[in-house]
């Protein structure tokens, strides 16, 4: 029997591997077996229990990279699934399984698009690369960021990168992410003095002390955004204080907050403005900061043009550019790449029970990637 080399078959094979972060569960080996016959140089940059793959075909520029992750979020209670999460199942026009949309179908489409492209253009312009990790859905400290650091250390840079995140909203091709907002988190501890609620003159309530500053921070206009990004937002995610007793004034109030910021602001200016507010309110405090991603943006250049044309020619869809949503590994890749976008299947079911992707979208996704390769790496 002839081996089924379709995108659909490869997507099913990847979904069948229970690659919950940071376990790759053999996904990279499966992909590597398809890349080696095409002339790719394969390099594993595994670290911290995370599996990372860097594969390259060619030595010339421009360098086009397909990037993604083999890891998936936990499936949750398996009894809540109609069929087992790691048993890929087709029914009613959909392919079900954990990772179907986020993002094993994209990985399969990368591979089959490259296979067809290389068969048609064995001597193509530039280089084709893949950057794949098993540490995107977790804390993302040993995955793409480590590969980027290794590439930067030896002077390797990319010209174009397509991250296979599920960006489509209602139908395949209706949205490309051409950038993402930055994410800056803080853990603030406002110090007071613990005491009895009946003797407030002998205590200092940190909740009361912080309240005016909270109101100011929540009402501050941090920037106005720009053509690509909405205005920067500041949101409190957690507030905790007290011992659990109703007759004790707490000694410390801990507040967790996050900035999702546009390219009109920087992490440094947001930190400085926050400290200015806290200092003006005379608070005794400390803040631990964590920058998980800087904003990045890719304008209407060659990559956006080639991908948009491929979507229109394949799907008949006029795509929309957007920077909405959370962070992705694109934030790391943008450090060494001129143009970074994200494009993949409809994202309506990601991280949910009964995650799925339309069967009718699987092969067309691969064709879009293939035509983007043609648009960028053929004369």
């Amino acid at each position: 029997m002839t081996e089924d080399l379709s995108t659909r078959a490869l997507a099913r094979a990847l979904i069948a591997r229970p690659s919950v972060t940071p376990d790759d569960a053999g996904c990279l080996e499966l992909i590597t077996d398809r890349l080696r016959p095409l002339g790719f140089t394969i390099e594993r940059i595994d670290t911290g229990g995370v599996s990372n793959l860097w594969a390259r075909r060619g030595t010339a520029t421009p360098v086009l990279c397909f990037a993604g992750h083999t890891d998936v979020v936990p499936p949750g209670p398996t009894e809540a699934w109609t069929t087992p999460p790691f048993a890929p199942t087709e029914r009613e026009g959909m392919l079900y399984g954990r990772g179907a949309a986020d993002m094993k179908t994209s990985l399969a489409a990368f591979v089959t698009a490259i296979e067809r492209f290389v068969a048609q253009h064995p001597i193509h312009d530039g280089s084709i690369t893949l950057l794949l990790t098993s540490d995107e859905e977790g804390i993302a400290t040993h995955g793409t960021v480590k590969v980027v650091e290794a590439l930067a250390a030896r002077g390797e840079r990319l010209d174009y990168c397509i991250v296979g995140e599920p960006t489509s909203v209602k139908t395949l091709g209706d949205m490309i992410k051409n950038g993402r907002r930055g994410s800056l988190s803080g853990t603030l501890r406002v110090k007071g003095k613990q005491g009895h609620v009946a003797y407030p003159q002998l205590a200092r309530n940190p909740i009361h002390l912080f309240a005016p500053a909270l109101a100011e921070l929540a009402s501050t206009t941090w920037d106005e955004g720009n053509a690509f990004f909405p205005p920067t937002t500041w949101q409190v995610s957690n507030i905790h204080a007290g011992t659990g007793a109703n007759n004790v004034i707490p000694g410390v109030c801990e507040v967790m907050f996050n900035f999702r910021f546009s390219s009109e602001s920087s992490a440094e200016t947001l930190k400085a403005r926050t400290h200015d507010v806290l200092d003006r309110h005379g608070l005794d405090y400390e803040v631990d900061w964590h920058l998980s991603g800087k904003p990045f943006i890719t304008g209407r250049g060659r990559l956006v043009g080639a991908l948009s044309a491929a979507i229109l020619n394949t799907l008949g869809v006029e795509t929309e550019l957007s920077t909405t949503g959370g962070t992705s590994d694109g934030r790391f890749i943008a450090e060494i790449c001129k143009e970074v976008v994200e494009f993949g299947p409809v994202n309506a079911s990601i991280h949910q029970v009964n995650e799925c992707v339309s069967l009718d979208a699987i092969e067309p996704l691969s064709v879009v990637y293939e035509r983007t390769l043609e648009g960028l790496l053929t004369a």
Side-chain angles (χ1 to χ4, degrees), residues 181-184 230-234 258-262 292 325-327:
R181 294 175 294 175
S183 179
L184 174 66
T232 292
T233 61
W234 182 85
N258 177 266
F259 284 100
R260 290 300 165 106
F261 62 102
S262 78
S292 57
T327 59

Side-chain angles (χ1 to χ4, degrees), residues 54-71:
W54 173 248
R56 180 164 182 161
R57 185 182 198 273
T59 58
T61 59
V63 181
L64 170 59
C65 179
F66 290 105
H69 57 91
T70 61
D71 59 317

Side-chain angles (χ1 to χ4, degrees), residues 181-196:
R181 294 175 294 175
S183 179
L184 174 66
S185 297
T187 300
L188 166 68
R189 284 172 292 278
V190 179
K191 302 172 186 178
K193 182 179 180 181
Q194 185 173 310
H196 197 294

Side-chain angles (χ1 to χ4, degrees), residues 2-17 30 34 88 90 95 104-105 107-109 111-112 115 357 359 362-363 366:
T2 303
E3 183 182 3
D4 187 349
L5 299 179
S6 68
T7 309
R8 187 165 165 176
L10 181 53
R12 289 176 59 98
L14 290 168
I15 293 167
R17 286 159 170 75
L30 181 60
R34 299 281 285 264
E90 298 178 10
L95 172 60
K104 291 183 174 180
T105 295
L107 300 184
V111 173
T112 57
E115 287 173 335
V357 66
L359 290 170
I362 295 175
E363 295 300 340
S366 179

